[in-house]
Amino acid sequence: MNKFLLHTILLLTWLLLGAVLRVTNLEAKPPWSDEWATLVFSLGHSFRTVPLDRVISLNTLLAPLQLDPTTNVRDVVNNLLTESTHPPVYFVLTHWWLKLFSSDTGLVSIWWGRLLSAIFGVLAIPAMFGWGWLLSRSLICAQLAAALMAVSPFGVYLSQEARHYTLAILLAIASLSFLLVAIRNIKQKRSIAIALVLTWIVVNSLGVATHYFFGLTLVAEIIVLASVWFNSIRVDSKAILAKYWQRIYWAIAGTISGCSIWVWVSLWRSIPGDDLTSWVFDGNPLAEFYQPLLRLLIWLITMVFLLPIEGVPESIAIISGVILLSFIVWSLPDWLRGIRANNSPQMRLGITVLTRFLLSAIALILAATYVFGADLTLSARFQFGYFPAVLLLLAISLSYLWQESKYKYFFNKNRVLVVLTLVLATLGSTTIITNFAFQKVERPDLVAPVIFEAHQQVSYDTPVLIATLHQTHGQTGEMMSIGWQFQKLLDREQIDWQPQFLLAHRETANAALERAIVAMPRPFQLWLVNFSEAREIAARKCIDRDEQYRATGYRYQLYQCNSSVNIKH
């Protein structure tokens, strides 16, 4: 078979496999508060239209998720920069996307909302092929880089979120490709083309305009360039003013200028970031020194490997962990040998750049964690900036092992290792789409059935009030997630009643809850969700059923509010 045709078919295979993995069960997992933030702001709506401190209906709670053809990009940017901590590029793209493919009325579609992220995740597959080819000039390395991106559990996980991470990954691949080209030109004392410099600046600026943590990727790139710069001027002190370095200075200056726009906008608009991002400061990394390191190691492993660890018996989770660790221990010496044994000057330069970048990026994550107390290891998704570099380094190793054998038959240890790596990665991705790993941060799908079952024990016309403590739009999103589950039950005609909701703002929460309890027609069921501060008031006004429940992201408790004689002052 023609070599070009063979590699074209292979790349299309990875594309198809990656697409299938990313869209399978795309709508099955329950949406959570961060995804609601993406959709509400992308629709041009505001969370501030949801009333606080008073009882509201399900329709009122879900109103910001209603499609509205009259909203525009200005609404998207204005609401986002007023209420959130994120730059606007992905939200604007999602706005156009939903305008193009959604109907004009009704609630937003989770499937369409997540599909854009999945598409960017699929586009990262040919992007990895191109980056792999650019680095190695090896089609086998490029194919393995594309294959690893296609079946990466971490990649599939981010692709099934209605969030901006897959676009940021795509831009990171592009930016790192320009970094590689720039360093090659420096080594050859050639100037990078002006068009490439300008494109690099645009890519970097778009990256920061997609996610502020993209800045960590850029800082890691600058560290790599700084190491090359010191080596260059140590050999030739006059190189500091050489034309090929001047182009790099322009690229850095242009990137800083382009990115600083968003810093200025953030300060000008006074983005309310303290409450929305305070959770990364909640821990004490120095007191729990090894936990961030362990989390970071786990996130690195899940970029390639994963087996069922959530929603399965503990024994299954333990067996899965043992299998993965055993395979990694068995494979690690060969993976390292595959990296060290690549001796061509072009490949060695690429490996050096990747290694320095990866170590710099991880060092920045750890510095933020241990020095500034912002534990960026708490969430897997924050590792998106160096994720492509991990895959490409592994692809370089696997490509060497694939080609190393002196024999032409297939079943030798090296090739078996390569195949097993891809098979285990694929199994890891199926673990994601079957919800046995990387489950959503909030599980409203476990909360709503409990409330539904409790309501079945009383008269069908008994009202249900779900109350929560409101601090940011994150809590509004948590309630929307529960409300969405009940809306699904209504749409399927499984229930003919609707719960009511109370979002009690933290400064007036107790008074708001007390007013709501007194005003509600009795009897009714009261559920306190993530609202432990109000248990005393609820117990004084209603009967504590002593039924406390937990689900991921939620702690909730039932109170039965019967006749008015139960009220205690």
Side-chain angles (χ1 to χ4, degrees), residues 43-63:
L43 288 170
H45 296 322
S46 166
F47 281 96
R48 293 177 178 175
T49 58
V50 178
L52 303 180
D53 292 341
R54 66 180 178 88
V55 176
I56 59 174
S57 67
L58 176 63
N59 290 337
T60 301
L61 176 66
L62 300 182

Side-chain angles (χ1 to χ4, degrees), residues 443-456 485-486 489:
R443 292 295 306 273
D445 56 316
L446 301 179
V447 177
V450 174
I451 298 175
F452 170 68
E453 290 174 11
H455 187 262
Q456 287 186 309
Q485 297 300 315
F486 278 101
L489 294 174

Side-chain angles (χ1 to χ4, degrees), residues 482-524:
I482 295 176
W484 185 266
Q485 297 300 315
F486 278 101
Q487 185 62 53
K488 288 170 62 176
L489 294 174
L490 285 166
D491 293 342
R492 297 169 185 166
E493 299 183 348
Q494 292 178 257
I495 60 174
D496 57 0
W497 56 273
Q498 296 183 18
Q500 295 173 286
F501 297 86
L502 171 67
L503 285 81
H505 190 58
R506 60 183 173 185
E507 296 176 358
T508 54
N510 291 344
L513 178 63
E514 192 162 0
R515 287 196 305 271
I517 292 175
V518 172
M520 283 285 290
R522 292 175 178 249
F524 71 95

Side-chain angles (χ1 to χ4, degrees), residues 132 135-138 140-141 144 334-352 354-355 392-404:
L135 184 145
S136 65
R137 292 296 191 269
S138 164
I140 293 177
C141 179
L144 285 168
D334 288 313
W335 291 338
L336 295 175
R337 180 171 57 83
I339 292 174
R340 291 194 302 263
N342 277 283
N343 293 319
S344 68
Q346 178 169 271
M347 189 69 85
R348 291 314 309 169
L349 177 62
I351 291 173
T352 300
L354 278 178
T355 304
L392 187 51
L393 269 175
L394 182 58
I396 290 169
S397 173
L398 295 180
S399 67
Y400 177 84
L401 296 175
W402 184 268
Q403 299 172 87
E404 183 189 36

Side-chain angles (χ1 to χ4, degrees), residues 24 64 79 90 129 193 269 297 352 566:
T24 300
N79 290 328
Y90 186 79
F129 179 90
R269 297 302 296 267
L297 177 61
T352 300
N566 292 325

